[in-house]
């Protein structure tokens, strides 16, 4: 009896041992589960910004009646989708610059040019320090620009005149647009000097025939200069006014050689036969501006591309 119990106990112990061994074996065969990694956060790349073209400034030079050529240049720039960001003007260029900055498009400027009566802008003054007062010109500018002051123009505008006392250039960025254009266009001995504040001013072409430096000063990264100065033609000057304009042309050439070096693109309309006093050739001047601008388009577009960032 005892032997039979002993045998049963041994079998029970052996069964427990085998069960424990089997459980241990099963436990040992299980692999340690791999740690769960958190999901990776994918950061999208920053959006690519579109290329940013340079700030383009248009510098419109002086040249009296030859200034109509500026209109042709503006027309071509608009047609080609080249956006001008700011404009600076001297003398005749200041008149076109003011009208353009006020929001007038190229075709509107051409319409104004065709209907312009220069005699209505000539308010004679006898005697005096000049033959023409210039107030009629100021009134015309005010009426055509909606009486907007310079700082409220739709396009940043700079108008260059010469300080009569010290011969320094002045860049008008604020104030009466008509008065500033009048000062910028005040050819000595033809127009009376213009008093603004305590200073007197005369034609900006004396110191800056094409206002390239001023366009840079206003923030232009690329300057398109339009040079309408006429080289001396060697012809006899028939009257005092033509002689004076010829003198301006001679003086302006040497200044322009320095001024235009800082321009990115220089547009020179072919105005042969169009004198600074010839207001009857306005259509020819506009066409010459167009032709010159079209000829310089490849160089201009290449320069814009090179400065795009």
């Amino acid at each position: 009896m005892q032997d039979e119990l002993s045998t049963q106990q041994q079998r029970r112990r052996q069964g427990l041992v085998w069960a424990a061994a089997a459980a241990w074996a099963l436990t040992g065969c299980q692999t340690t589960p791999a740690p769960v990694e958190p999901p990776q956060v994918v950061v999208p790349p920053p959006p690519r910004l579109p290329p940013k073209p340079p700030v383009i400034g248009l510098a419109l030079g002086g040249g009296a009646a030859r200034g109509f050529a500026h209109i042709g240049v503006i027309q071509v720039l608009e047609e080609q989708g080249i956006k001008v960001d700011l404009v600076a003007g001297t003398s005749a260029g200041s008149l076109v610059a003011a009208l353009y900055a006020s929001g007038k498009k190229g075709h509107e400027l051409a319409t104004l040019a065709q209907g312009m009566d220069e005699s209505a802008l000539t308010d004679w003054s006898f005697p005096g320090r000049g033959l023409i007062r210039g107030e009629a010109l100021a009134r015309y500018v005010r009426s055509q620009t909606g009486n907007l002051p310079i700082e409220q123009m739709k396009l940043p505008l700079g108008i260059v005149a010469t300080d009569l006392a010290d011969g320094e250039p002045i860049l008008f960025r604020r104030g009466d647009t008509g008065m500033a254009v009048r000062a910028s266009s005040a050819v000595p001995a033809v127009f009376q000097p213009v008093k603004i504040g305590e200073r007197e001013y005369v034609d900006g072409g004396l110191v800056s025939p094409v206002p390239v430096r001023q366009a840079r000063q206003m923030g232009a990264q690329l300057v398109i200069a339009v040079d309408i100065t006429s080289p001396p033609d060697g012809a006899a000057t028939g009257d005092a006014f033509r002689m004076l304009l010829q003198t301006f042309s001679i003086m302006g050439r040497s200044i322009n050689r320095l001024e235009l070096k800082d321009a990115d693109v220089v547009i020179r309309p072919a105005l042969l036969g169009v004198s600074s006093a010839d207001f009857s050739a306005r259509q020819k001047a506009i066409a010459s501006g167009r032709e010159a601008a079209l000829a310089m388009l490849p160089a201009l577009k290449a320069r814009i591309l090179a400065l795009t960032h």
Side-chain angles (χ1 to χ4, degrees):
M1 187 73 175
Q2 277 184 335
D3 290 340
E4 188 176 344
L5 288 173
S6 179
T7 301
Q8 289 178 352
Q9 289 176 350
Q10 287 178 359
R11 287 177 180 172
R12 191 177 290 115
R13 290 194 189 105
Q14 288 176 352
L16 292 173
V17 171
W18 282 107
W24 178 84
L26 288 173
T27 304
C29 289
Q30 292 180 352
T31 56
T32 304
V36 179
E37 296 183 2
Q40 293 184 350
V41 179
V42 179
V43 180
R48 293 187 64 182
L49 297 176
K52 187 178 180 181
V55 176
I56 297 178
L58 184 60
L60 303 180
R66 295 162 68 96
F68 293 110
H70 292 315
I71 297 173
V73 173
I74 289 171
Q75 288 178 334
V76 170
L77 295 177
E78 288 180 342
E79 292 163 5
Q80 294 294 319
I82 297 173
K83 180 181 177 293
V84 172
D85 298 293
L86 58 92
V87 60
T90 291
S91 197
S94 74
L95 172 58
V96 178
L99 298 176
Y100 180 47
S102 73
K104 286 184 168 53
K105 302 298 182 183
H107 69 276
E108 295 175 287
L109 294 174
T111 300
L112 270 180
Q114 292 303 322
M116 183 181 292
D117 180 8
E118 61 271 18
S119 65
L121 306 181
T122 307
D123 45 356
W124 299 101
S125 174
F126 297 102
R129 298 166 69 192
L131 300 177
I132 301 173
R133 289 194 298 271
E135 180 54 39
L137 173 61
R139 286 196 302 268
Y140 176 80
V141 172
R142 294 186 193 110
S143 68
Q144 293 298 331
T145 59
N147 210 29
L148 287 174
I150 297 172
E151 67 271 18
Q152 291 183 16
M153 288 292 175
K154 296 180 181 178
L155 198 65
L157 171 65
I159 295 175
V160 181
T162 302
D163 190 316
L164 186 58
D166 58 17
E168 291 296 317
I170 177 72
L171 178 64
F172 290 109
R173 298 293 312 279
R174 300 181 61 83
D176 184 338
T177 306
M179 188 69 77
V181 171
R182 177 185 173 188
S184 181
S185 306
V187 178
V190 177
F191 284 82
Q192 292 181 353
V194 178
K195 188 172 183 179
I196 301 176
E198 298 300 317
R199 314 289 289 186
E200 285 190 316
Y201 300 96
V202 291
D203 196 298
L206 291 169
V207 289
S208 185
V210 184
V212 175
R213 285 173 298 162
Q214 287 78 8
R216 294 279 185 204
Q217 181 180 334
M218 291 170 65
Q221 297 168 321
L222 185 155
V223 176
I224 304 169
V226 186
D227 178 16
I228 58 169
T229 55
S230 58
D233 55 16
T237 51
D239 53 51
F241 180 61
R242 292 177 185 275
M243 182 180 67
L244 189 61
L245 294 178
Q246 179 90 329
T247 304
F248 267 63
S249 297
I250 295 169
M251 180 185 64
R253 291 184 73 190
S254 58
I255 300 174
N256 269 357
R257 290 191 186 101
L258 297 175
E259 185 90 6
L260 295 175
K261 286 181 179 179
D262 194 34
D264 293 275
V265 175
V266 180
I267 298 175
R268 291 185 174 92
L271 294 166
L272 186 64
V274 179
S275 75
S276 299
D278 188 2
F279 285 87
S280 65
R282 59 194 73 182
Q283 189 58 47
K284 180 179 179 180
I286 292 172
S288 296
R290 289 187 60 88
E291 292 171 7
L294 287 168
M296 291 303 296
L297 270 180
L300 174 56
K301 289 181 177 179
R303 189 62 180 150
I304 292 173
L305 184 61
L307 293 177
T308 297
H309 53 284

